[in-house]
Amino acid sequence: MSALLLEAERIKLARVLHATPEALAFLEPLGIDGLRQLRERASAALYDEYRPMFQRIANSGRILPVALLAFLSHKVFGPWISARTAGLMPVDRSVEISTKLSTQFMADMCLELDPRRTRELLRRMPVPTIVEVARVMMQRKEYVTMARFVDCLTDEAIRAVSRETRDDDALVLIGFYVESEHALSASIGLLPQERLRGIMRRSVEGPPELQHAGVATLCKVSDPVKGLMGDAAAALGDAALKALLQRLRADRDEAVLAAMVARMSPEPRRRAEALLRESAA
C-alpha cells in the first residue's frame, strides 16, 4: 500500500514541477509525508512567484470577450497559465469561459489546477461538463489527478461521474488516492449498491494491486461506510466475504475488521461472525 501512495505523491509532485515521476525517484527517501510537504511548498512558491502575472491576466479577463479569452487560452496561455488564472477570476466569468474551451484542453488544465484555490469554481461547473472531462481523464488513466478533485465536487457531480464510469478498477484506484477521509467516505456513501458491489468484487478478486488499494480504502473510511462496504462484499457471496475478512486479518487490521463487522447489517454480520469463528477454530 505504501508503495502505491509513494508513487501517487511522486506523480503529484511531478505535475507541479513539470517533470516525470521517474526523474524524482531520488526523492523517495523523504517518504509519503515528506513528498507531500515538498509538493505543497513548491506549489505555493511557484504560485506566489508568478501571481502578479496571473492577476494581470485575470484582470483582463473581466473586460475581454469570452470567445477571445478562450482563444487566447488555447493558443497563447496554455493549460498551466490558464489553470492558475482561473482561480483569480470571478467564478461566474471562469465558468462562462469554460463553455468555450475544448474538453481535451480542460482535461489538460486539470493536471495543473490546485483544487484548494479553485474549489468554488469546481462546485459551480456544469455537471455535464464535469462528466465529459472525467471521461477524458478516465481514458488517460489519470486516477491520481481525479482523486484530488473528489473533495471539491458536488454530490450531484459525483453521482453523475460514477454513473458514467463503467470501470470498477478505476473507481477502486481513485478511491485509494483520495487524501481526505471525509470526502472519501461521503463519495462512497453516494454510490449505488451495484457500483459498490463492483468495487468490492475487484477489491477481493482483482490483481494484488487492486486488492491492496481496496483494503486500504476500507481502512480510511468512516465506520458506517466500512459497514456498507462489508455488506457489499457479503452480497457477493461467502467466498468474497471470507476473502475480505482474511485480507484484513492478514494485514493485521483487527480494529478495522471489528469496526466493519459491527456496522454491517444484521444478516451479513451474522455470516461474517460465523466465518470468523470458523477460521479461528
Side-chain angles (χ1 to χ4, degrees):
M1 291 184 287
S2 60
L4 288 174
L5 289 174
L6 193 64
E7 176 64 13
E9 287 303 327
R10 277 206 298 151
I11 291 172
K12 286 182 279 190
L13 178 59
R15 293 274 190 264
V16 172
L17 300 178
H18 284 238
T20 64
E22 294 75 20
L24 303 180
F26 71 97
L27 293 173
E28 284 192 359
L30 293 176
I32 296 168
D33 291 338
L35 285 175
R36 183 174 300 162
Q37 292 174 13
L38 178 59
R39 167 171 56 87
E40 291 173 351
R41 291 178 182 178
S43 180
L46 288 170
Y47 186 85
D48 291 342
E49 180 180 358
Y50 294 103
R51 185 185 176 92
M53 177 187 71
F54 299 146
Q55 191 64 63
R56 286 195 296 272
I57 296 173
N59 291 341
S60 68
R62 298 171 185 266
I63 56 176
L64 294 176
V66 169
L68 176 58
L69 289 169
F71 175 82
L72 291 173
S73 295
H74 278 112
K75 302 298 183 180
V76 179
F77 302 142
W80 184 68
I81 293 178
S82 298
R84 295 301 193 277
T85 304
L88 297 174
M89 287 186 181
V91 174
D92 289 343
R93 188 65 164 170
S94 292
V95 171
E96 189 178 6
I97 294 169
S98 74
T99 64
K100 304 295 184 182
L101 299 175
S102 72
T103 304
Q104 295 289 337
F105 187 83
M106 284 193 287
D108 292 338
M109 283 181 62
C110 285
L111 304 183
E112 311 292 350
L113 278 176
D114 185 342
R116 295 170 300 180
R117 294 187 173 94
T118 53
R119 180 182 180 87
E120 185 59 28
L121 169 60
L122 292 166
R123 295 186 71 83
R124 296 272 292 277
M125 289 289 288
V127 171
T129 300
I130 292 173
V131 170
E132 290 177 6
V133 174
R135 188 178 295 117
V136 173
M137 300 292 282
M138 284 286 187
Q139 292 170 353
R140 298 181 182 182
K141 300 186 184 300
E142 288 286 354
Y143 307 136
V144 173
T145 300
M146 294 182 72
R148 297 180 66 214
F149 296 106
V150 169
D151 193 29
C152 302
L153 299 178
T154 63
D155 291 353
E156 181 186 4
I158 290 174
R159 287 193 183 98
V161 171
S162 67
R163 282 197 302 268
E164 291 294 321
T165 304
R166 300 303 177 190
D167 187 345
D168 290 330
D169 290 11
L171 290 182
V172 173
L173 292 172
I174 291 170
F176 172 72
Y177 291 128
V178 172
E179 292 181 9
S180 167
E181 295 181 7
H182 173 76
L184 177 60
S185 297
S187 61
I188 291 178
L190 293 172
L191 294 174
Q193 284 298 308
E194 179 184 356
R195 296 314 307 278
L196 190 52
R197 287 195 294 270
I199 288 174
M200 295 311 297
R201 184 185 301 279
R202 299 304 293 157
S203 296
V204 298
E205 298 178 359
E209 179 183 77
L210 281 181
Q211 292 185 28
H212 285 304
V215 171
T217 298
L218 191 151
C219 291
K220 291 192 296 181
V221 297
S222 64
D223 287 353
V225 177
K226 286 182 174 67
L228 290 176
M229 296 176 75
D231 284 350
L236 300 173
D238 281 354
L241 179 57
K242 184 176 181 180
L244 177 61
L245 298 174
Q246 289 177 337
R247 168 64 66 180
L248 287 169
R249 276 198 159 168
D251 291 344
R252 299 183 180 179
D253 292 318
E254 294 292 341
V256 173
L257 174 59
M260 182 190 75
V261 173
R263 290 303 187 108
M264 291 171 69
S265 301
E267 193 277 331
R269 183 171 66 246
R270 286 193 293 271
R271 287 165 53 201
E273 290 171 345
L275 289 170
L276 288 172
R277 288 194 297 271
E278 178 184 307
S279 64

